[in-house]
Amino acid sequence: MPTTQAETGSDFAHLARRVKQAGLLNRRPGYYALRAGLVTVLFAYAWALFAWIGDSWATLVVAVLLAVLFGQIALLSHDLAHRQVFRTRRPSEVAGRIAGNLGIGLSYGWWMDKHTRHHANPNHEELDPDVAPDILVWSQGQARASRGLPRFIGRHQAVLFFPLLTLEGLNLHWSSIRAVLKPGLKQRWLEAALLFTHFAVYLGAVFLVLSPVKALVFIAVHQGLWGVYLGSIFAPNHKGMPTLTGGERPDFLRRQVLTSRNVRGGRFVDVAMGGLNYQIEHHLFPSMPTPHLRLARPIVRRYCAEIGVPYSETGLVDSWARALRHLHEAGEPLRG
């Protein structure tokens, strides 16, 4: 995914110079080698533990562990897509497909295309795929135009949000399968081969070790918690922030800052959210390595104060509350 472009003399250009002078756009190969190595070792350990425990309900503990590890691998794939790890496209794509397609059953190419469009126009109702009306509606205008299942769910979507997240893992798998089954995806056959290898090995291992009932419960727990984990990472960053429609298109800096929210919480939140709790800095500098985002925060925050641009930041629980409140308000026309 290419980095953002700055116009000479723009507000963003002035900020970018400060960030670059601080060395925060430099690569961190040691950090990513350690992070990827640790996640890989834990991933292998989890499956070894699963095989060692055998046909027992105790494997549900492994399902919980794998839900977290799938989330961490997804976050690594995210960083690879933004070229935070490698400067060039080819190694980023190779590693991204291994981590995404083979590792967790998520099409790297499909997700990268979707995420690139999100970064270009965050929270724009016509241009950002993350706020396109689907099962959920993200504005009262979308609610009024909704039909069928979205209209039914939209009435109580704030209450249903976290339960619906248990299906997000399956939704990502299904979206990935659909992407490789139709023309247009780059390296489609390679992605398909890696994707179906993942499903064959995953399902084969689960049903080989566990009885059918235990296997189905294991899959439900694992995939359900993975979906909740991913939703808990991505939802707090934009939901409840201003949305754009039609020709509304502020300059790059304002388009990114005004639609994003940072989440405070210290090192635990940094690790759990893969650095995406610094969403403002990430949207301004998508190729910035994860460990530099927290260092960029005071620079960006101070600069936003200088030019009079609101900088939104809150705690983790409050960020979820704001997202749920926004969903409730968006569904208001359907409850009338």
Side-chain angles (χ1 to χ4, degrees):
M1 185 179 299
T3 57
T4 54
Q5 298 179 349
E7 297 179 5
T8 303
S10 68
D11 285 335
F12 176 72
H14 292 301
L15 173 61
R17 281 193 285 271
R18 295 187 189 184
V19 169
K20 187 175 182 179
Q21 287 169 2
L24 299 180
L25 298 179
N26 297 337
R27 293 293 186 272
R28 290 288 300 272
Y31 162 82
Y32 277 109
L34 178 62
R35 179 176 163 188
L38 180 60
V39 170
T40 300
V41 168
L42 289 174
F43 189 69
Y45 169 77
W47 283 113
L49 182 62
F50 171 80
W52 180 75
I53 293 174
D55 188 18
S56 167
W57 290 110
T59 54
L60 294 183
V61 175
V62 181
V64 176
L65 175 59
L66 281 172
V68 175
L69 289 172
F70 266 49
Q72 287 293 315
I73 293 172
L75 289 168
L76 270 174
S77 297
H78 168 273
D79 290 5
L80 286 161
H82 281 294
R83 298 190 195 174
Q84 295 177 19
V85 184
F86 303 106
R87 188 176 299 276
T88 57
R89 175 180 56 81
R90 183 169 178 76
S92 299
E93 290 181 348
V94 170
R97 289 189 179 108
I98 292 173
N101 294 61
L102 187 60
I104 60 175
L106 174 64
S107 169
Y108 173 82
W110 165 77
W111 181 86
M112 188 176 74
D113 173 71
K114 175 176 177 287
H115 196 61
T116 299
R117 288 184 284 125
H118 159 70
H119 265 263
N121 295 282
N123 269 21
H124 193 292
E125 293 185 24
E126 287 90 41
L127 301 174
D128 181 359
D130 287 355
V131 292
D134 189 9
I135 295 298
L136 301 176
V137 294
W138 304 105
S139 71
Q140 293 192 357
Q142 290 181 353
R144 294 186 186 97
S146 65
R147 297 291 182 272
L149 186 60
R151 190 172 186 85
F152 174 76
I153 290 178
R155 295 187 181 97
H156 308 289
Q157 60 182 11
V159 175
L160 296 173
F161 180 67
F162 279 105
L164 285 171
L165 285 181
T166 60
L167 302 175
E168 179 59 17
L170 297 178
N171 177 53
L172 292 172
H173 291 320
W174 176 238
S175 296
S176 298
I177 292 171
R178 286 192 303 173
V180 301
L181 288 179
K182 60 184 181 181
L185 184 69
K186 184 180 178 182
Q187 296 288 321
R188 181 163 70 104
W189 294 112
L190 174 59
E191 289 226 8
L194 292 172
L195 199 62
F196 287 104
T197 298
H198 166 83
F199 293 131
V201 173
Y202 176 85
L203 294 174
V206 172
F207 281 98
L208 181 65
V209 171
L210 301 177
S211 66
V213 172
K214 291 190 185 75
L216 291 173
V217 174
F218 179 93
I219 293 170
V221 171
H222 171 216
Q223 299 293 330
L225 291 180
W226 178 43
V228 171
Y229 181 32
L230 286 181
S232 299
I233 292 172
F234 288 97
N237 299 323
H238 295 284
K239 305 305 181 264
M241 297 302 293
T243 59
L244 305 174
T245 58
E248 292 181 280
R249 194 172 175 83
D251 65 78
F252 176 78
L253 183 143
R254 287 163 180 81
R255 188 161 74 247
Q256 305 300 333
V257 175
L258 297 176
T259 60
S260 302
R261 178 193 300 116
N262 278 11
V263 178
R264 295 188 299 266
R267 292 305 180 111
F268 173 78
V269 172
D270 288 2
V271 173
M273 296 187 69
L276 295 183
N277 46 313
Y278 302 106
Q279 189 70 189
I280 294 173
E281 288 70 31
H282 170 61
H283 261 258
L284 288 169
F285 305 99
S287 64
M288 180 182 288
T290 293
H292 289 172
L293 293 170
R294 68 181 183 86
L295 302 177
R297 172 185 166 273
I299 299 174
V300 174
R301 183 168 183 165
R302 184 165 52 248
Y303 183 75
C304 286
E306 288 176 15
I307 63 174
V309 174
Y311 181 102
S312 180
E313 189 173 54
T314 187
L316 181 60
V317 175
D318 186 46
S319 70
W320 289 338
R322 293 187 187 202
L324 293 175
R325 187 158 52 245
H326 172 73
L327 283 169
H328 181 73
E329 292 170 356
E332 179 63 32
L334 302 177
R335 294 189 295 273

